[in-house]
């Protein structure tokens, strides 16, 4: 099988992988079969497995599935472009030109309107952080429960291309500039 997957997730005994507008499923991680796409025929952004269901994020749509085969559209409640998702096991956060949250994957609430452009979402344990490039103050949004959010200004006065979390540290790469920012809390 010769496909470079952009996103892979495991849940309910199956792997689900996305590449462009195609979705694939595997039981063993070695043999992959194409599956019928969710209701919208657009590029996939992020795959997530949470609350015993798969969630796929793509542009301005969301779909959920218990098995990666049968899909139901979920109304994100915003026309904003959506790019990435994360979960702490209880809450689901989807970010793009807006930030939305849900505890079920079906009903969504808007946390941040489209004045910002979040580039990364991180969730771990009891904390969730949404990293945004919002002019003029380049904000970070943090929460310990997924429903109450704090907007914090960061000292980074540059557009962040991507943010990753590993070894209890946040790593931020600036767009079009050399270097890397490292933080233990995503704020400083």
């Amino acid at each position: 099988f010769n496909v470079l997957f952009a996103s892979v997730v495991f849940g309910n005994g199956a792997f689900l992988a996305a590449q462009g507008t195609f979705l694939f499923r595997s039981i063993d991680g070695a043999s992959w079969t194409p599956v019928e796409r969710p209701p919208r025929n657009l590029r996939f952004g992020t795959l997530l497995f949470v609350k015993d269901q798969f969630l796929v994020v793509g542009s301005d749509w969301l779909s959920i599935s218990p098995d990666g085969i049968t899909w139901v559209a979920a109304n994100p409640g915003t026309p904003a472009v959506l790019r990435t998702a994360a979960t702490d096991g209880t809450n689901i956060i989807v970010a793009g030109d807006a930030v939305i949250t849900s505890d079920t994957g079906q009903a969504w609430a808007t946390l941040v309107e489209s004045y910002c452009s979040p580039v990364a979402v991180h969730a771990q344990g009891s904390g969730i952080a949404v990293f945004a490039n919002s002019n003029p103050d380049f904000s970070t949004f943090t929460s310990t429960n997924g429903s109450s959010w704090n907007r914090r200004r960061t000292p980074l006065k540059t557009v962040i291309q991507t943010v990753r979390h590993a070894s209890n540290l946040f790593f931020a790469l600036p767009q079009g500039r050399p270097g890397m920012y490292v933080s233990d809390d995503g704020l400083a």
Side-chain angles (χ1 to χ4, degrees):
F1 199 77
N2 192 15
V3 173
L4 180 61
F5 295 130
S7 185
V8 179
V9 67
F10 180 81
N12 285 348
F15 293 94
L16 197 62
Q19 174 53 42
T21 60
F22 297 99
L23 199 57
F24 301 88
R25 186 174 186 271
S26 174
I27 300 300
D28 60 10
S31 300
W32 294 86
T33 56
V35 296
E36 187 173 329
R37 289 179 266 220
R40 300 284 298 268
N41 186 16
L42 299 172
R43 294 187 81 72
F44 297 110
T46 299
L47 293 173
L48 196 63
F49 185 79
V50 61
K51 305 265 183 166
D52 289 327
Q53 64 188 356
F54 292 98
L55 171 75
V56 64
V57 177
S59 297
D60 62 347
W61 58 276
L62 303 168
S63 289
I64 54 175
S65 171
D67 56 13
I69 298 171
T70 305
W71 292 90
V72 175
N75 183 352
T78 178
V81 173
L82 304 172
R83 295 180 189 90
T84 188
T87 181
D88 62 358
T90 302
N91 302 288
I92 306 165
I93 307 298
V94 176
D97 290 341
V99 179
I100 60 176
T101 185
S102 174
D103 60 356
T104 64
Q106 297 174 16
W108 294 87
T110 300
L111 296 176
V112 181
E113 285 297 335
S114 60
Y115 70 88
C116 70
S117 182
V119 294
V121 178
H122 172 74
Q124 181 176 345
S126 62
I128 301 170
V130 176
F131 298 88
N133 287 329
S134 62
N135 290 318
D137 65 356
F138 299 97
S139 298
T140 298
F141 300 88
T142 60
S143 173
T144 56
N145 60 18
S147 58
S148 299
W149 289 83
N150 296 312
R151 180 179 180 189
R152 304 173 190 268
R153 292 184 180 185
T154 68
L156 307 180
K157 299 300 181 202
T158 185
V159 175
I160 300 300
Q161 177 177 316
T162 189
V163 177
R164 295 291 182 257
H165 186 268
S167 300
N168 295 317
L169 293 171
F170 293 93
F171 299 89
L173 301 176
Q175 184 175 4
R177 295 174 59 189
M180 177 184 342
Y181 300 100
V182 181
S183 170
D184 61 354
D185 61 3
L187 303 175

mmCIF file with all atom_site columns, all heavy atoms in Angstrom, residues 115-138:
data_model
loop_
_atom_site.group_PDB
_atom_site.id
_atom_site.type_symbol
_atom_site.label_atom_id
_atom_site.label_alt_id
_atom_site.label_comp_id
_atom_site.label_asym_id
_atom_site.label_entity_id
_atom_site.label_seq_id
_atom_site.pdbx_PDB_ins_code
_atom_site.Cartn_x
_atom_site.Cartn_y
_atom_site.Cartn_z
_atom_site.occupancy
_atom_site.B_iso_or_equiv
_atom_site.pdbx_formal_charge
_atom_site.auth_seq_id
_atom_site.auth_comp_id
_atom_site.auth_asym_id
_atom_site.auth_atom_id
_atom_site.pdbx_PDB_model_num
ATOM 1   N N   . TYR A 1 115 ? -12.097 36.368 14.351 1.00 0.00 ? 115 TYR A N   1
ATOM 2   C CA  . TYR A 1 115 ? -11.084 37.420 14.273 1.00 0.00 ? 115 TYR A CA  1
ATOM 3   C C   . TYR A 1 115 ? -9.681  36.849 14.399 1.00 0.00 ? 115 TYR A C   1
ATOM 4   O O   . TYR A 1 115 ? -8.703  37.540 14.214 1.00 0.00 ? 115 TYR A O   1
ATOM 5   C CB  . TYR A 1 115 ? -11.303 38.494 15.337 1.00 0.00 ? 115 TYR A CB  1
ATOM 6   C CG  . TYR A 1 115 ? -11.007 38.026 16.733 1.00 0.00 ? 115 TYR A CG  1
ATOM 7   C CD1 . TYR A 1 115 ? -9.725  38.118 17.251 1.00 0.00 ? 115 TYR A CD1 1
ATOM 8   C CD2 . TYR A 1 115 ? -12.008 37.486 17.523 1.00 0.00 ? 115 TYR A CD2 1
ATOM 9   C CE1 . TYR A 1 115 ? -9.439  37.675 18.536 1.00 0.00 ? 115 TYR A CE1 1
ATOM 10  C CE2 . TYR A 1 115 ? -11.731 37.048 18.796 1.00 0.00 ? 115 TYR A CE2 1
ATOM 11  C CZ  . TYR A 1 115 ? -10.458 37.144 19.295 1.00 0.00 ? 115 TYR A CZ  1
ATOM 12  O OH  . TYR A 1 115 ? -10.189 36.706 20.561 1.00 0.00 ? 115 TYR A OH  1
ATOM 13  N N   . CYS A 1 116 ? -9.580  35.593 14.759 1.00 0.00 ? 116 CYS A N   1
ATOM 14  C CA  . CYS A 1 116 ? -8.253  35.004 14.922 1.00 0.00 ? 116 CYS A CA  1
ATOM 15  C C   . CYS A 1 116 ? -8.105  33.796 14.001 1.00 0.00 ? 116 CYS A C   1
ATOM 16  O O   . CYS A 1 116 ? -9.060  33.343 13.400 1.00 0.00 ? 116 CYS A O   1
ATOM 17  C CB  . CYS A 1 116 ? -8.014  34.582 16.365 1.00 0.00 ? 116 CYS A CB  1
ATOM 18  S SG  . CYS A 1 116 ? -9.008  33.180 16.865 1.00 0.00 ? 116 CYS A SG  1
ATOM 19  N N   . SER A 1 117 ? -6.917  33.299 13.923 1.00 0.00 ? 117 SER A N   1
ATOM 20  C CA  . SER A 1 117 ? -6.641  32.126 13.105 1.00 0.00 ? 117 SER A CA  1
ATOM 21  C C   . SER A 1 117 ? -5.797  31.137 13.889 1.00 0.00 ? 117 SER A C   1
ATOM 22  O O   . SER A 1 117 ? -4.580  31.129 13.776 1.00 0.00 ? 117 SER A O   1
ATOM 23  C CB  . SER A 1 117 ? -5.926  32.535 11.821 1.00 0.00 ? 117 SER A CB  1
ATOM 24  O OG  . SER A 1 117 ? -5.706  31.408 11.014 1.00 0.00 ? 117 SER A OG  1
ATOM 25  N N   . PRO A 1 118 ? -6.420  30.320 14.749 1.00 0.00 ? 118 PRO A N   1
ATOM 26  C CA  . PRO A 1 118 ? -5.644  29.364 15.528 1.00 0.00 ? 118 PRO A CA  1
ATOM 27  C C   . PRO A 1 118 ? -4.889  28.391 14.630 1.00 0.00 ? 118 PRO A C   1
ATOM 28  O O   . PRO A 1 118 ? -5.405  27.932 13.629 1.00 0.00 ? 118 PRO A O   1
ATOM 29  C CB  . PRO A 1 118 ? -6.707  28.638 16.339 1.00 0.00 ? 118 PRO A CB  1
ATOM 30  C CG  . PRO A 1 118 ? -7.836  29.602 16.417 1.00 0.00 ? 118 PRO A CG  1
ATOM 31  C CD  . PRO A 1 118 ? -7.821  30.313 15.096 1.00 0.00 ? 118 PRO A CD  1
ATOM 32  N N   . VAL A 1 119 ? -3.677  28.097 15.023 1.00 0.00 ? 119 VAL A N   1
ATOM 33  C CA  . VAL A 1 119 ? -2.854  27.185 14.233 1.00 0.00 ? 119 VAL A CA  1
ATOM 34  C C   . VAL A 1 119 ? -2.635  25.859 14.930 1.00 0.00 ? 119 VAL A C   1
ATOM 35  O O   . VAL A 1 119 ? -2.186  24.919 14.313 1.00 0.00 ? 119 VAL A O   1
ATOM 36  C CB  . VAL A 1 119 ? -1.486  27.818 13.907 1.00 0.00 ? 119 VAL A CB  1
ATOM 37  C CG1 . VAL A 1 119 ? -1.673  29.000 12.988 1.00 0.00 ? 119 VAL A CG1 1
ATOM 38  C CG2 . VAL A 1 119 ? -0.746  28.225 15.163 1.00 0.00 ? 119 VAL A CG2 1
ATOM 39  N N   . ALA A 1 120 ? -2.922  25.763 16.208 1.00 0.00 ? 120 ALA A N   1
ATOM 40  C CA  . ALA A 1 120 ? -2.708  24.496 16.901 1.00 0.00 ? 120 ALA A CA  1
ATOM 41  C C   . ALA A 1 120 ? -3.614  24.402 18.111 1.00 0.00 ? 120 ALA A C   1
ATOM 42  O O   . ALA A 1 120 ? -3.946  25.400 18.733 1.00 0.00 ? 120 ALA A O   1
ATOM 43  C CB  . ALA A 1 120 ? -1.258  24.369 17.339 1.00 0.00 ? 120 ALA A CB  1
ATOM 44  N N   . VAL A 1 121 ? -4.010  23.195 18.423 1.00 0.00 ? 121 VAL A N   1
ATOM 45  C CA  . VAL A 1 121 ? -4.779  22.917 19.624 1.00 0.00 ? 121 VAL A CA  1
ATOM 46  C C   . VAL A 1 121 ? -4.043  21.809 20.347 1.00 0.00 ? 121 VAL A C   1
ATOM 47  O O   . VAL A 1 121 ? -3.602  20.843 19.739 1.00 0.00 ? 121 VAL A O   1
ATOM 48  C CB  . VAL A 1 121 ? -6.209  22.438 19.281 1.00 0.00 ? 121 VAL A CB  1
ATOM 49  C CG1 . VAL A 1 121 ? -6.975  22.119 20.541 1.00 0.00 ? 121 VAL A CG1 1
ATOM 50  C CG2 . VAL A 1 121 ? -6.945  23.471 18.478 1.00 0.00 ? 121 VAL A CG2 1
ATOM 51  N N   . HIS A 1 122 ? -3.892  21.944 21.651 1.00 0.00 ? 122 HIS A N   1
ATOM 52  C CA  . HIS A 1 122 ? -3.263  20.887 22.426 1.00 0.00 ? 122 HIS A CA  1
ATOM 53  C C   . HIS A 1 122 ? -4.141  20.574 23.624 1.00 0.00 ? 122 HIS A C   1
ATOM 54  O O   . HIS A 1 122 ? -4.634  21.473 24.280 1.00 0.00 ? 122 HIS A O   1
ATOM 55  C CB  . HIS A 1 122 ? -1.874  21.290 22.915 1.00 0.00 ? 122 HIS A CB  1
ATOM 56  C CG  . HIS A 1 122 ? -1.316  20.278 23.865 1.00 0.00 ? 122 HIS A CG  1
ATOM 57  N ND1 . HIS A 1 122 ? -0.849  19.070 23.429 1.00 0.00 ? 122 HIS A ND1 1
ATOM 58  C CD2 . HIS A 1 122 ? -1.234  20.269 25.207 1.00 0.00 ? 122 HIS A CD2 1
ATOM 59  C CE1 . HIS A 1 122 ? -0.470  18.358 24.475 1.00 0.00 ? 122 HIS A CE1 1
ATOM 60  N NE2 . HIS A 1 122 ? -0.691  19.073 25.556 1.00 0.00 ? 122 HIS A NE2 1
ATOM 61  N N   . ALA A 1 123 ? -4.354  19.307 23.886 1.00 0.00 ? 123 ALA A N   1
ATOM 62  C CA  . ALA A 1 123 ? -5.120  18.900 25.054 1.00 0.00 ? 123 ALA A CA  1
ATOM 63  C C   . ALA A 1 123 ? -4.399  17.755 25.736 1.00 0.00 ? 123 ALA A C   1
ATOM 64  O O   . ALA A 1 123 ? -3.948  16.824 25.089 1.00 0.00 ? 123 ALA A O   1
ATOM 65  C CB  . ALA A 1 123 ? -6.514  18.458 24.636 1.00 0.00 ? 123 ALA A CB  1
ATOM 66  N N   . GLN A 1 124 ? -4.283  17.854 27.051 1.00 0.00 ? 124 GLN A N   1
ATOM 67  C CA  . GLN A 1 124 ? -3.649  16.788 27.808 1.00 0.00 ? 124 GLN A CA  1
ATOM 68  C C   . GLN A 1 124 ? -4.138  16.853 29.241 1.00 0.00 ? 124 GLN A C   1
ATOM 69  O O   . GLN A 1 124 ? -4.154  17.921 29.842 1.00 0.00 ? 124 GLN A O   1
ATOM 70  C CB  . GLN A 1 124 ? -2.134  16.920 27.768 1.00 0.00 ? 124 GLN A CB  1
ATOM 71  C CG  . GLN A 1 124 ? -1.425  15.826 28.526 1.00 0.00 ? 124 GLN A CG  1
ATOM 72  C CD  . GLN A 1 124 ? 0.077   15.929 28.376 1.00 0.00 ? 124 GLN A CD  1
ATOM 73  O OE1 . GLN A 1 124 ? 0.573   16.631 27.520 1.00 0.00 ? 124 GLN A OE1 1
ATOM 74  N NE2 . GLN A 1 124 ? 0.792   15.232 29.220 1.00 0.00 ? 124 GLN A NE2 1
ATOM 75  N N   . GLY A 1 125 ? -4.519  15.720 29.773 1.00 0.00 ? 125 GLY A N   1
ATOM 76  C CA  . GLY A 1 125 ? -4.968  15.688 31.158 1.00 0.00 ? 125 GLY A CA  1
ATOM 77  C C   . GLY A 1 125 ? -6.105  16.658 31.379 1.00 0.00 ? 125 GLY A C   1
ATOM 78  O O   . GLY A 1 125 ? -7.121  16.588 30.711 1.00 0.00 ? 125 GLY A O   1
ATOM 79  N N   . SER A 1 126 ? -5.921  17.589 32.279 1.00 0.00 ? 126 SER A N   1
ATOM 80  C CA  . SER A 1 126 ? -6.993  18.534 32.593 1.00 0.00 ? 126 SER A CA  1
ATOM 81  C C   . SER A 1 126 ? -6.774  19.896 31.966 1.00 0.00 ? 126 SER A C   1
ATOM 82  O O   . SER A 1 126 ? -7.417  20.860 32.342 1.00 0.00 ? 126 SER A O   1
ATOM 83  C CB  . SER A 1 126 ? -7.103  18.691 34.112 1.00 0.00 ? 126 SER A CB  1
ATOM 84  O OG  . SER A 1 126 ? -5.895  19.215 34.616 1.00 0.00 ? 126 SER A OG  1
ATOM 85  N N   . GLY A 1 127 ? -5.873  20.011 31.000 1.00 0.00 ? 127 GLY A N   1
ATOM 86  C CA  . GLY A 1 127 ? -5.626  21.316 30.396 1.00 0.00 ? 127 GLY A CA  1
ATOM 87  C C   . GLY A 1 127 ? -5.725  21.299 28.894 1.00 0.00 ? 127 GLY A C   1
ATOM 88  O O   . GLY A 1 127 ? -5.369  20.330 28.243 1.00 0.00 ? 127 GLY A O   1
ATOM 89  N N   . ILE A 1 128 ? -6.255  22.366 28.349 1.00 0.00 ? 128 ILE A N   1
ATOM 90  C CA  . ILE A 1 128 ? -6.384  22.531 26.909 1.00 0.00 ? 128 ILE A CA  1
ATOM 91  C C   . ILE A 1 128 ? -5.843  23.900 26.562 1.00 0.00 ? 128 ILE A C   1
ATOM 92  O O   . ILE A 1 128 ? -6.125  24.881 27.240 1.00 0.00 ? 128 ILE A O   1
ATOM 93  C CB  . ILE A 1 128 ? -7.850  22.445 26.452 1.00 0.00 ? 128 ILE A CB  1
ATOM 94  C CG1 . ILE A 1 128 ? -8.460  21.105 26.842 1.00 0.00 ? 128 ILE A CG1 1
ATOM 95  C CG2 . ILE A 1 128 ? -7.956  22.656 24.952 1.00 0.00 ? 128 ILE A CG2 1
ATOM 96  C CD1 . ILE A 1 128 ? -9.952  21.050 26.639 1.00 0.00 ? 128 ILE A CD1 1
ATOM 97  N N   . ALA A 1 129 ? -5.064  23.974 25.496 1.00 0.00 ? 129 ALA A N   1
ATOM 98  C CA  . ALA A 1 129 ? -4.551  25.259 25.041 1.00 0.00 ? 129 ALA A CA  1
ATOM 99  C C   . ALA A 1 129 ? -4.824  25.400 23.556 1.00 0.00 ? 129 ALA A C   1
ATOM 100 O O   . ALA A 1 129 ? -4.652  24.461 22.793 1.00 0.00 ? 129 ALA A O   1
ATOM 101 C CB  . ALA A 1 129 ? -3.057  25.379 25.306 1.00 0.00 ? 129 ALA A CB  1
ATOM 102 N N   . VAL A 1 130 ? -5.305  26.554 23.147 1.00 0.00 ? 130 VAL A N   1
ATOM 103 C CA  . VAL A 1 130 ? -5.519  26.868 21.743 1.00 0.00 ? 130 VAL A CA  1
ATOM 104 C C   . VAL A 1 130 ? -4.567  28.003 21.405 1.00 0.00 ? 130 VAL A C   1
ATOM 105 O O   . VAL A 1 130 ? -4.592  29.051 22.049 1.00 0.00 ? 130 VAL A O   1
ATOM 106 C CB  . VAL A 1 130 ? -6.969  27.310 21.465 1.00 0.00 ? 130 VAL A CB  1
ATOM 107 C CG1 . VAL A 1 130 ? -7.126  27.716 20.023 1.00 0.00 ? 130 VAL A CG1 1
ATOM 108 C CG2 . VAL A 1 130 ? -7.943  26.195 21.821 1.00 0.00 ? 130 VAL A CG2 1
ATOM 109 N N   . PHE A 1 131 ? -3.717  27.790 20.424 1.00 0.00 ? 131 PHE A N   1
ATOM 110 C CA  . PHE A 1 131 ? -2.737  28.784 20.046 1.00 0.00 ? 131 PHE A CA  1
ATOM 111 C C   . PHE A 1 131 ? -3.244  29.537 18.830 1.00 0.00 ? 131 PHE A C   1
ATOM 112 O O   . PHE A 1 131 ? -3.587  28.920 17.826 1.00 0.00 ? 131 PHE A O   1
ATOM 113 C CB  . PHE A 1 131 ? -1.404  28.117 19.748 1.00 0.00 ? 131 PHE A CB  1
ATOM 114 C CG  . PHE A 1 131 ? -0.865  27.423 20.948 1.00 0.00 ? 131 PHE A CG  1
ATOM 115 C CD1 . PHE A 1 131 ? -1.214  26.123 21.221 1.00 0.00 ? 131 PHE A CD1 1
ATOM 116 C CD2 . PHE A 1 131 ? -0.057  28.100 21.830 1.00 0.00 ? 131 PHE A CD2 1
ATOM 117 C CE1 . PHE A 1 131 ? -0.733  25.487 22.342 1.00 0.00 ? 131 PHE A CE1 1
ATOM 118 C CE2 . PHE A 1 131 ? 0.429   27.474 22.963 1.00 0.00 ? 131 PHE A CE2 1
ATOM 119 C CZ  . PHE A 1 131 ? 0.083   26.160 23.216 1.00 0.00 ? 131 PHE A CZ  1
ATOM 120 N N   . ALA A 1 132 ? -3.290  30.858 18.939 1.00 0.00 ? 132 ALA A N   1
ATOM 121 C CA  . ALA A 1 132 ? -3.887  31.659 17.891 1.00 0.00 ? 132 ALA A CA  1
ATOM 122 C C   . ALA A 1 132 ? -2.941  32.734 17.393 1.00 0.00 ? 132 ALA A C   1
ATOM 123 O O   . ALA A 1 132 ? -2.150  33.270 18.156 1.00 0.00 ? 132 ALA A O   1
ATOM 124 C CB  . ALA A 1 132 ? -5.163  32.321 18.401 1.00 0.00 ? 132 ALA A CB  1
ATOM 125 N N   . ASN A 1 133 ? -3.065  33.030 16.126 1.00 0.00 ? 133 ASN A N   1
ATOM 126 C CA  . ASN A 1 133 ? -2.389  34.186 15.534 1.00 0.00 ? 133 ASN A CA  1
ATOM 127 C C   . ASN A 1 133 ? -3.456  35.239 15.321 1.00 0.00 ? 133 ASN A C   1
ATOM 128 O O   . ASN A 1 133 ? -4.045  35.322 14.262 1.00 0.00 ? 133 ASN A O   1
ATOM 129 C CB  . ASN A 1 133 ? -1.745  33.825 14.199 1.00 0.00 ? 133 ASN A CB  1
ATOM 130 C CG  . ASN A 1 133 ? -0.522  32.977 14.381 1.00 0.00 ? 133 ASN A CG  1
ATOM 131 O OD1 . ASN A 1 133 ? 0.161   33.095 15.373 1.00 0.00 ? 133 ASN A OD1 1
ATOM 132 N ND2 . ASN A 1 133 ? -0.256  32.110 13.423 1.00 0.00 ? 133 ASN A ND2 1
ATOM 133 N N   . SER A 1 134 ? -3.773  35.980 16.354 1.00 0.00 ? 134 SER A N   1
ATOM 134 C CA  . SER A 1 134 ? -4.804  36.995 16.225 1.00 0.00 ? 134 SER A CA  1
ATOM 135 C C   . SER A 1 134 ? -4.162  38.367 16.300 1.00 0.00 ? 134 SER A C   1
ATOM 136 O O   . SER A 1 134 ? -3.598  38.736 17.315 1.00 0.00 ? 134 SER A O   1
ATOM 137 C CB  . SER A 1 134 ? -5.870  36.846 17.314 1.00 0.00 ? 134 SER A CB  1
ATOM 138 O OG  . SER A 1 134 ? -5.305  37.022 18.579 1.00 0.00 ? 134 SER A OG  1
ATOM 139 N N   . ASN A 1 135 ? -4.218  39.078 15.225 1.00 0.00 ? 135 ASN A N   1
ATOM 140 C CA  . ASN A 1 135 ? -3.682  40.428 15.244 1.00 0.00 ? 135 ASN A CA  1
ATOM 141 C C   . ASN A 1 135 ? -4.638  41.319 16.009 1.00 0.00 ? 135 ASN A C   1
ATOM 142 O O   . ASN A 1 135 ? -5.837  41.170 15.900 1.00 0.00 ? 135 ASN A O   1
ATOM 143 C CB  . ASN A 1 135 ? -3.508  40.941 13.803 1.00 0.00 ? 135 ASN A CB  1
ATOM 144 C CG  . ASN A 1 135 ? -2.376  40.203 13.115 1.00 0.00 ? 135 ASN A CG  1
ATOM 145 O OD1 . ASN A 1 135 ? -1.349  39.978 13.701 1.00 0.00 ? 135 ASN A OD1 1
ATOM 146 N ND2 . ASN A 1 135 ? -2.595  39.816 11.873 1.00 0.00 ? 135 ASN A ND2 1
ATOM 147 N N   . PRO A 1 136 ? -4.171  42.253 16.811 1.00 0.00 ? 136 PRO A N   1
ATOM 148 C CA  . PRO A 1 136 ? -2.777  42.650 16.932 1.00 0.00 ? 136 PRO A CA  1
ATOM 149 C C   . PRO A 1 136 ? -2.054  42.014 18.114 1.00 0.00 ? 136 PRO A C   1
ATOM 150 O O   . PRO A 1 136 ? -0.895  42.327 18.349 1.00 0.00 ? 136 PRO A O   1
ATOM 151 C CB  . PRO A 1 136 ? -2.885  44.147 17.156 1.00 0.00 ? 136 PRO A CB  1
ATOM 152 C CG  . PRO A 1 136 ? -4.130  44.277 17.984 1.00 0.00 ? 136 PRO A CG  1
ATOM 153 C CD  . PRO A 1 136 ? -5.063  43.197 17.477 1.00 0.00 ? 136 PRO A CD  1
ATOM 154 N N   . ASP A 1 137 ? -2.684  41.116 18.880 1.00 0.00 ? 137 ASP A N   1
ATOM 155 C CA  . ASP A 1 137 ? -2.029  40.714 20.130 1.00 0.00 ? 137 ASP A CA  1
ATOM 156 C C   . ASP A 1 137 ? -1.570  39.253 20.224 1.00 0.00 ? 137 ASP A C   1
ATOM 157 O O   . ASP A 1 137 ? -1.080  38.843 21.263 1.00 0.00 ? 137 ASP A O   1
ATOM 158 C CB  . ASP A 1 137 ? -2.937  41.031 21.315 1.00 0.00 ? 137 ASP A CB  1
ATOM 159 C CG  . ASP A 1 137 ? -4.208  40.211 21.290 1.00 0.00 ? 137 ASP A CG  1
ATOM 160 O OD1 . ASP A 1 137 ? -4.424  39.450 20.332 1.00 0.00 ? 137 ASP A OD1 1
ATOM 161 O OD2 . ASP A 1 137 ? -4.985  40.328 22.239 1.00 0.00 ? 137 ASP A OD2 1
ATOM 162 N N   . PHE A 1 138 ? -1.675  38.459 19.181 1.00 0.00 ? 138 PHE A N   1
ATOM 163 C CA  . PHE A 1 138 ? -1.178  37.084 19.186 1.00 0.00 ? 138 PHE A CA  1
ATOM 164 C C   . PHE A 1 138 ? -1.536  36.361 20.491 1.00 0.00 ? 138 PHE A C   1
ATOM 165 O O   . PHE A 1 138 ? -0.734  36.243 21.393 1.00 0.00 ? 138 PHE A O   1
ATOM 166 C CB  . PHE A 1 138 ? 0.337   37.051 18.951 1.00 0.00 ? 138 PHE A CB  1
ATOM 167 C CG  . PHE A 1 138 ? 0.721   37.640 17.640 1.00 0.00 ? 138 PHE A CG  1
ATOM 168 C CD1 . PHE A 1 138 ? 1.133   38.951 17.551 1.00 0.00 ? 138 PHE A CD1 1
ATOM 169 C CD2 . PHE A 1 138 ? 0.640   36.888 16.482 1.00 0.00 ? 138 PHE A CD2 1
ATOM 170 C CE1 . PHE A 1 138 ? 1.469   39.512 16.332 1.00 0.00 ? 138 PHE A CE1 1
ATOM 171 C CE2 . PHE A 1 138 ? 0.979   37.436 15.255 1.00 0.00 ? 138 PHE A CE2 1
ATOM 172 C CZ  . PHE A 1 138 ? 1.389   38.754 15.185 1.00 0.00 ? 138 PHE A CZ  1
#
